[in-house]
Amino acid sequence: MALNQRLDLRQGQSLVMTPQLQQAIKLLQMSNMELQAFVDQELERNPLLERDERPEVQKQATDAPEGQTDMVSALASNTGAEERLRTLDTELENVYTHESRADAANRESMGPPPDSGWASLRPQGALSLDAEGTDFDATLTRQPTLAEHLTDQMHLVLGEPAEQLIGQHLIGSLNEAGYLIGDVASMAETLGTSVDHVEAVLTRLQACDPPGVFARDLKECLALQLKERDRFDPAMATLVAHLDLVARRDYVALKSLCRVDVEDLKDMLAELRALDPKPGHAFGAEPVQPVIPDVIVRPSPEGAWIVELNTETLPRVLINNQYLARVSANAQRSEDKVYLSECQANATWLVKSLDQRAKTILKVAREIVRQQDAFLMLGVQHLRPLNLRTVADAIEMHESTVSRVTSNKYMSTPRGIFELKYFFTTAIASSDSDGDAHSAEAVRHRIRELIAEEGENVLSDDTIVDRLKASGIEIARRTVAKYRETLGIPSSVQRRREARVQSAR
C-alpha cells in the first residue's frame, strides 16, 4: 500500500469552552458568599482591579439602561478594548491581545501562566501536578451543621414542594439547641397556609435525627426521644408532664401520680436522665451563617411586585486605567507587557462577567415572580406548576443557564426567604383543553380536603378521581393513591374500618 501526503482544507463548527466562558459559567452558579471570596482573590491577584466604594454609585447595576451600567462604563473606559471593538467586527471574547495568534495558541496549549487570573478557574480542592497548587485544606472534612443535617433528611421525608417550603422555614426557626422558636400560627399566616398544614409538616420533621429536634419545650423534647425508644407509656408520660416535681425530688408525689412502686420510679428517672435535653448542641461546633438573599421582592403601591437585586451582595470592581497607563508607559521588557496585557484582559472580563451575572439573576427572578404571583398573594397552596423550560423560553435563555441561576440563590419575599429552585413544581393536566394546568401541590391539597370532608361516606380512590375530573383536574387513579400515601392518609378500606370502630364505641 502506497503512502502519500495530502493537504486538505476543511470547514466546520465546534463549541469551544474558552477561559472567558468558563469564568462566566462559574460566576453564575456561585452563591453570594462564594462570589465575594472569589472577587477578593482576584483583587489580590490583579493589580489593575480595585473595589468601587464610591457612595454615589452604590445602586443596582440594572437600574441604568442596557449597556449603560457603571461596570460596563468601566469596560468602555478601557481604551485598548474600546479601540479593538470599534475596529473589529467581532465579540470581545474573539479578540486577542497584541500578541500573535500563534503565540496565543501555544500559550493556551501550555496552560495559563501561574500569575494569571485564570488559575482560579481550577475547581476548589482539585489537585494539580505542581506542589504549590495543591490545596490540602480543601481535602479536610468538617462536621455538618444542624441545618445541613436536617435539610438532607427533609428531602427524604417531604416530597411536595410546598411542604419543603414549610420545612425550610421550620429549619430556619431552630435555635442552637434544636428547639423550635416562634409560634406555629404566625408561621402559617406568613406562609399563607393553615395551622394544621404546618403542624403536619412539623410532626414529620420531628421524626428526624437527632431525636428530640423540632421540640417547642423541654417536655416535648424528652417525649420525642422516649417515643423514638418506644418507652413513652402512660407512666412515663405522667413523669414528663411533672418535671417540676422531678426537679424538687418529690418522689412520693411522683410515685402516686405515675402509679408505680419505688423501683420502677428509679428506673424511669434513670431513663429520663439518659436523655439529651439539647439535641442540637451535637452540631453546634460551627457558627450559624444567616441566609443573605440575592433578590428582594416587595409589593408596590400599584399592586404589582418590585423585584430588585440585593446591592449588599453585589461586589463592585473597577479597572484602574490611570495606574494601567502609568505602568504601561514604564514597561520596557516584553514579559512586562505580556503580563499587563493579561491582567487587563482578566480584569475586563471579570467586570463584564459580574455585570452579566447580575442581569441574568434579575431576569430569572422577575420571571419567577411573574409566574408565582398567586403564591406571593395567597400562600403555598397556590404554587403554580413551573419548570426550567417555561422560564427559559420566557426569557429566551437556555435551561442550563436557568438551572445555574436558581442554585444557591435566595429570594426574600413577604412570605419569607426561599431558594429559587423551590418555586419549581410539577404540573397536573387540566381535563379542559383550554384550562390551565394544576400544581401537584394544589391537587394534593384538594385530595386532603375531599377526604377530610367525607364523614361517614368514605371515598374510594376512584370516587376521588371522578370528583377531581368534575372540578377540571385530569388525574389517574394510581396518582391519587400515590399522593394519598405521601400525605399519610390510609386507604379507603382502612378508613372505613376505623370509622366502624369509632361508631361502635
Side-chain angles (χ1 to χ4, degrees):
M1 183 177 62
L3 298 177
N4 58 355
Q5 294 182 346
R6 185 175 61 183
L7 182 62
D8 293 336
L9 180 62
R10 299 180 180 179
Q11 184 178 5
Q13 293 181 347
S14 62
L15 179 62
V16 180
M17 291 289 290
T18 62
Q20 293 85 357
L21 182 59
Q22 294 179 26
Q23 185 191 51
I25 294 176
K26 181 180 178 181
L27 293 181
L28 190 60
Q29 60 190 7
M30 282 184 179
S31 63
N32 48 32
M33 299 184 64
E34 294 173 342
L35 182 65
Q36 292 286 355
F38 176 81
V39 172
D40 291 340
Q41 294 177 0
E42 291 297 320
L43 289 172
E44 294 179 1
R45 181 182 295 110
N46 197 327
L48 302 183
L49 285 174
E50 63 178 13
R51 194 181 299 276
D52 185 9
E53 298 179 351
R54 294 175 299 172
E56 64 271 10
V57 297
Q58 293 298 326
K59 61 179 181 178
Q60 293 188 36
T62 54
D63 290 342
E66 186 77 16
Q68 298 297 324
T69 63
D70 295 326
M71 288 185 285
V72 178
S73 299
L75 175 66
S77 62
N78 189 325
T79 307
E82 185 179 11
E83 182 65 23
R84 288 193 294 270
L85 286 175
R86 186 167 57 248
T87 56
L88 298 178
D89 185 16
T90 183
E91 295 293 332
L92 192 58
E93 63 264 19
N94 300 326
V95 178
Y96 289 89
T97 58
H98 57 268
E99 62 184 346
S100 65
R101 185 179 298 269
D103 293 340
N106 294 333
R107 179 170 55 82
E108 291 205 3
S109 64
M110 297 173 61
D115 295 334
S116 70
W118 306 120
S120 61
L121 291 175
R122 184 172 63 246
Q124 185 177 3
L127 299 179
S128 61
L129 297 178
D130 55 321
E132 296 180 357
T134 305
D135 188 3
F136 290 104
D137 293 338
T139 63
L140 302 178
T141 60
R142 66 172 180 86
Q143 187 179 13
T145 63
L146 178 62
E148 294 173 347
H149 184 68
L150 294 174
T151 301
D152 293 339
Q153 300 177 73
M154 181 195 68
H155 294 299
L156 301 176
V157 175
L158 306 175
E160 305 175 14
E163 290 184 348
Q164 291 188 4
L165 283 170
I166 299 174
Q168 197 70 36
H169 190 85
L170 292 174
I171 292 176
S173 301
L174 295 179
N175 60 11
E176 295 180 356
Y179 286 84
L180 183 66
I181 56 177
D183 184 32
V184 174
S186 61
M187 295 181 186
E189 183 180 358
T190 301
L191 296 172
T193 185
S194 62
V195 177
D196 295 337
H197 195 185
V198 179
E199 287 283 358
V201 175
L202 178 61
T203 301
R204 298 171 68 178
L205 290 178
Q206 286 178 341
C208 294
D209 181 76
V213 75
F214 288 103
R216 283 158 282 195
D217 52 30
L218 179 60
K219 294 180 181 180
E220 188 177 11
C221 178
L222 299 178
L224 290 173
Q225 297 181 54
L226 290 170
K227 291 178 182 178
E228 194 272 338
R229 300 183 181 189
D230 197 17
R231 284 291 296 118
F232 196 66
D233 51 23
M236 189 63 78
T238 304
L239 181 64
V240 172
H242 296 83
L243 292 179
D244 54 337
L245 298 180
V246 176
R248 294 199 303 264
R249 302 192 178 190
D250 192 349
Y251 300 138
V252 177
L254 289 173
K255 185 177 65 171
S256 176
L257 291 171
C258 298
R259 297 180 182 182
V260 295
D261 55 19
V262 177
E263 295 298 328
D264 290 338
L265 182 60
K266 289 182 179 179
D267 294 339
M268 292 168 59
L269 292 174
E271 290 185 22
L272 199 64
R273 295 189 185 98
L275 303 178
D276 188 1
K278 298 179 179 180
H281 278 185
F283 301 87
E286 183 173 318
V288 178
Q289 296 291 343
V291 175
I292 303 177
D294 301 85
V295 182
I296 299 176
V297 179
R298 53 189 176 88
S300 66
E302 293 78 11
W305 298 100
I306 299 177
V307 183
E308 55 189 4
L309 295 176
N310 187 359
T311 55
E312 296 181 357
T313 64
L314 293 177
R316 305 185 62 84
V317 293
L318 294 175
I319 303 175
N320 194 334
N321 292 284
Q322 296 180 354
Y323 178 75
L324 173 62
R326 186 169 63 253
V327 175
S328 301
N330 298 327
Q332 302 295 332
R333 300 184 304 171
S334 59
E335 294 83 357
D336 298 337
K337 295 181 179 179
V338 171
Y339 173 73
L340 290 176
S341 177
E342 291 174 352
C343 291
Q344 180 184 6
N346 294 343
T348 299
W349 281 110
L350 177 61
V351 170
K352 183 178 180 181
S353 299
L354 290 175
D355 179 61
Q356 187 63 36
R357 176 184 182 273
K359 292 180 178 178
T360 305
I361 293 176
L362 185 62
K363 186 178 295 184
V364 173
R366 284 175 174 170
E367 181 61 24
I368 291 177
V369 170
R370 191 182 71 85
Q371 296 281 353
Q372 299 293 359
D373 177 73
F375 159 75
L376 297 175
M377 295 292 296
L378 303 175
V380 295
Q381 298 176 1
H382 298 271
L383 272 176
R384 181 179 178 182
L386 188 64
N387 53 35
L388 297 176
R389 178 179 293 274
T390 303
V391 176
D393 293 342
I395 63 177
E396 297 181 352
M397 288 186 178
H398 197 269
E399 291 182 45
S400 61
T401 303
V402 179
S403 177
R404 292 185 178 95
V405 171
T406 55
S407 299
N408 301 319
K409 309 293 188 307
Y410 292 86
M411 177 185 295
S412 176
T413 69
R415 300 198 176 276
I417 299 177
F418 305 103
E419 192 173 2
L420 294 182
K421 66 179 181 180
Y422 282 120
F423 291 101
F424 295 88
T425 177
T426 56
I428 304 297
S430 174
S431 58
D432 186 2
S433 59
D434 298 332
D436 295 334
H438 303 273
S439 170
E441 167 56 24
V443 175
R444 292 188 185 98
H445 179 69
R446 180 58 180 159
I447 294 174
R448 187 191 294 111
E449 287 182 341
L450 290 175
I451 296 177
E453 299 171 356
E454 63 184 2
E456 297 180 356
N457 298 324
V458 179
L459 302 178
S460 64
D461 292 343
D462 292 327
T463 306
I464 295 176
V465 169
D466 294 338
R467 295 198 177 185
L468 291 177
K469 287 183 178 179
S471 60
I473 301 175
E474 186 71 27
I475 190 171
R477 180 186 177 279
R478 61 180 179 273
T479 307
V480 171
K482 182 182 70 173
Y483 285 177
R484 177 177 49 76
E485 293 175 356
T486 58
L487 294 172
I489 301 175
S491 63
S492 59
V493 177
Q494 294 174 329
R495 299 200 310 273
R496 191 175 292 108
R497 186 182 299 115
E498 293 175 358
R500 291 173 182 173
V501 172
Q502 291 179 359
S503 61
R505 292 179 181 177

